[in-house]
Amino acid sequence: MAYQYWLFKDHPSGWRIRYRRDGRGYEASQDGQGWLPVPSVTQITGLLNKNLHEWAVRQVVEYLKGELVPGLVLTPEEVERILNGASQADRMASQAAASRGTTLHAWAEAYLKGHNPPWPEEEPLRSMALGLAEWWEGNGGNRLLSEEVVFHPGHLYAGRVDLVAFLRGRLVVLDLKTSPRAYPEHLLQVGAYALALREEGLPVDGGLVLALREGLTVAEVPLDEAAEAFLGLRRAFDFLQALKAIP
C-alpha cells in the first residue's frame, strides 16, 4: 500500500509501527520490510460483553415513544415508515455517539495543547467540555502526550492513548469517554496503555477514566490488575483468531 496512507513511529525496542491516517489498522516491523498486522487495544477489549443487545432495545423503545401516541391512527405507509425507523434506531444512535466522541476528542486535544479552541455550542458536548476543563484546571494538569500511538513489543498490540499527563505529581494515563460512566472495558484499555507506555520507559503510576456524558465521573484504574486482565483477554483474542483459521 502507498506510503501516503500511513503514519510511522519508531519504538525504542527497535520495532517500527505504522498506522493508517484514517485511524484503522496497525502494523509492526522489525526490519522495515515485512509488516505484521497487530490488533488494537479496542479490538481486544471488544471481546467483552458490553450489553449491546439491551442498549439496542432501549434505542428502539425511545424511538417508538417519540412516534406513537394514544389514539393515533396510522396508515399502512406510516406503519411502514415507523417500523423502518425503529429497525435503524440503534444504528443511528451509535453513529451519533461516535460523532460526539470524535468531536469531543478533537476539542480536548486542542484545549490540552493550549490552543484555546472555542467552546462547543451544542449540548451535551458543551457541558462535557466545560466539565473537563474545570476538572483539568482544578487538578493542575500538565499534558505530556495526547493522541499518542503506543505499542507493546512483547504482547504485540497497539492503540492510541487519549492523554498522558502529570496530575498532582503523578504521571497518569487518562482515557476520555462520552459514556455516562466507566465500563469494565475502559479500565482494561487504560491498563493496556499503561503497560505499553512503560515499555517506552515512561514511569506511569496512575490511570483514570473520565466519563463525561452525565456530568464528570472520574474512575481510578487499578493499573496492575487491569493490565493483567487485559493480557488474559489478549490471549483469548489469539485463541479465537486461531479458531477462525481452522477450515
Side-chain angles (χ1 to χ4, degrees), residues 55-139:
W55 178 84
V57 169
R58 288 198 299 272
Q59 304 314 308
V60 173
V61 170
E62 289 302 314
Y63 173 83
L64 292 175
K65 283 181 179 178
E67 293 286 343
L68 302 178
V69 296
L72 179 66
V73 178
L74 299 173
T75 66
E77 291 78 13
E78 289 171 329
V79 170
E80 182 66 23
R81 177 187 62 79
I82 291 174
L83 292 177
N84 183 61
S87 71
Q88 301 181 54
D90 62 323
R91 181 174 60 85
M92 299 300 292
S94 178
Q95 290 175 346
S99 177
R100 284 197 301 271
T102 299
T103 302
L104 179 68
H105 277 80
W107 182 90
E109 183 178 14
Y111 169 78
L112 295 169
K113 287 182 176 179
H115 294 168
N116 297 317
W119 298 102
E121 295 182 359
E122 296 183 2
E123 293 292 353
L125 286 174
R126 183 177 179 85
S127 295
M128 292 179 184
L130 289 169
L132 173 61
E134 181 179 2
W135 180 86
W136 178 255
E137 297 297 332
N139 284 274

Side-chain angles (χ1 to χ4, degrees), residues 224-236:
D224 292 339
E225 293 86 346
E228 187 64 29
F230 173 82
L231 292 181
L233 205 59
R234 175 70 182 91
R235 292 188 289 272

Side-chain angles (χ1 to χ4, degrees), residues 147-214:
E147 295 296 325
E148 179 73 10
V149 168
V150 297
F151 169 72
H152 198 292
H155 299 292
L156 295 179
Y157 65 83
R160 192 188 298 266
V161 62
D162 287 345
L163 180 64
V164 182
F166 291 99
L167 291 175
R168 301 185 184 277
R170 301 169 66 205
L171 186 59
V172 178
V173 177
L174 296 102
D175 204 19
L176 309 180
K177 300 297 182 184
T178 55
S179 56
R181 62 185 178 87
Y183 293 100
E185 61 269 20
H186 301 159
L187 307 186
L188 269 62
Q189 287 169 18
V190 171
Y193 296 142
L195 199 62
L197 286 164
R198 288 170 177 170
E199 284 292 309
E200 295 190 28
L202 290 179
V204 175
D205 66 355
L208 300 172
V209 177
L210 307 184
L212 297 156
R213 182 65 179 86
E214 296 174 358

